């Protein structure tokens, strides 16, 4: 079992998915406003989310990174997710992915979580570049990408979707050690 790491920002606590997150994550993934861009407007079954949690645990065990649940620091309410996930098969692309419950949109929380995750990827995993993409119509996500310092790379058709790619390199990123703190626990059984 890998060490259980939490990332704390000024308002948030991020930790790898745990089985107990299933209902909260499923609620977020099936929200009409979230699934519009994240799941191509498909209502993902609860079993799909359970498989995502299992696969995420394997990703952390194999690579040391994956998706993190986003919780509010003051009450530990799970409000979203952020982290790194492999997309596509040929070839697999490691991308930054994030999503929040709509009632928390417009408060800078996605920007706060994504900024911490980018710095974590560059600092702890020595990534040379971090990429992400979004549907052309997802203006809110584009704004997050721009606020966190990512630059537009290309517009492309990926698996039938019209998407915008953004990226940031290690050299481009402005490091700020005060953005977050790491808290390492012994294993998943000690999550909060």
């Amino acid at each position: 079992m890998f060490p259980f790491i939490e990332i704390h920002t000024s308002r948030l606590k991020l930790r790898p998915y745990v089985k107990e997150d299933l209902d909260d994550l499923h609620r977020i993934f099936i929200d009409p406003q979230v699934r519009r861009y994240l799941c191509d407007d498909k209502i993902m079954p609860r079993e799909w989310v359970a498989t995502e949690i299992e696969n995420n645990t394997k990703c952390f065990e194999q690579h040391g990174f994956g998706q993190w649940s986003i919780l509010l620091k003051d009450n530990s309410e799970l409000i979203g997710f952020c982290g790194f996930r492999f997309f596509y098969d040929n070839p697999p692309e490691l991308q930054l992915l994030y999503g929040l419950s709509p009632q928390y949109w417009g408060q800078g929380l996605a920007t706060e979580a994504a900024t911490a995750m980018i710095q974590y990827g560059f600092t702890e995993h020595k990534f040379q570049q971090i990429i992400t993409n979004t549907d052309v119509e997802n203006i809110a996500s584009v704004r997050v990408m721009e606020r966190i310092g990512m630059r537009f790379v290309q517009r492309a058709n990926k698996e039938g979707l019209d998407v915008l790619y953004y990226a940031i390199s290690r050299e481009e990123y402005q490091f700020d050690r005060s953005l977050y703190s790491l808290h390492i626990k012994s294993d998943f059984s000690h999550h909060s």
Side-chain angles (χ1 to χ4, degrees):
M1 188 59 101
F2 59 92
F4 190 81
I5 300 171
E6 288 183 349
I7 296 174
H8 292 197
T9 66
S10 61
R11 297 179 289 173
L12 303 171
K13 184 167 48 175
L14 291 84
R15 59 161 170 69
Y17 291 169
V18 293
K19 290 178 185 175
E20 293 81 2
D21 293 342
L22 177 58
D23 290 332
D24 289 330
L25 288 172
H26 185 240
R27 176 183 40 77
I28 294 167
F29 275 108
I30 64 171
D31 183 283
Q33 295 178 77
V34 174
R35 74 171 190 254
R36 177 178 175 196
Y37 297 119
L38 245 104
C39 302
D40 303 328
D41 215 19
K42 295 180 187 137
I43 298 176
M44 305 311 269
R46 196 170 181 275
E47 296 74 28
W48 177 85
V49 179
T51 300
E52 284 290 298
I53 292 171
E54 287 174 25
N55 290 342
N56 194 61
T57 299
K58 291 175 189 168
C59 190
F60 268 97
E61 288 170 349
Q62 293 171 1
H63 306 289
F65 55 76
Q67 286 289 296
W68 305 65
S69 293
I70 301 172
L71 300 99
L72 292 175
K73 212 174 190 179
D74 58 358
N75 65 10
S76 293
E77 177 187 354
L78 195 155
I79 64 165
F81 52 88
C82 185
F84 301 104
R85 187 181 189 284
F86 287 103
F87 284 89
Y88 314 117
D89 295 324
N90 201 9
E93 291 179 358
L94 183 64
Q95 292 191 28
L96 176 68
L97 176 72
Y98 50 85
L100 282 180
S101 292
Q103 66 263 38
Y104 295 101
W105 292 1
Q107 300 173 37
L109 296 170
T111 299
E112 188 171 322
T115 299
M117 196 53 54
I118 285 176
Q119 183 154 314
Y120 176 80
F122 286 142
T123 305
E124 306 302 322
H125 293 285
K126 310 299 183 213
F127 294 158
Q128 294 305 303
Q129 175 176 259
I130 294 172
I131 64 169
T132 190
N133 77 51
T134 191
D135 294 1
V136 170
E137 299 86 15
N138 193 349
I139 304 302
S141 189
V142 169
R143 287 189 189 123
V144 170
M145 293 175 198
E146 290 172 349
R147 278 196 295 268
I148 61 179
M150 300 185 100
R151 61 183 158 67
F152 173 75
V153 175
Q154 69 174 338
R155 184 172 179 166
N157 185 297
K158 197 68 172 178
E159 296 186 351
L161 296 173
D162 191 12
V163 297
L164 303 173
Y165 275 87
Y166 279 73
I168 189 167
S169 69
R170 214 178 141 71
E171 292 77 28
E172 293 169 310
Y173 185 72
Q174 301 294 314
F175 287 87
D176 179 353
R177 298 283 177 199
S178 68
L179 288 175
Y180 72 85
S181 59
L182 291 180
H183 301 264
I184 300 174
K185 300 182 178 188
S186 59
D187 61 48
F188 275 136
S189 64
H190 298 98
H191 73 275
S192 50

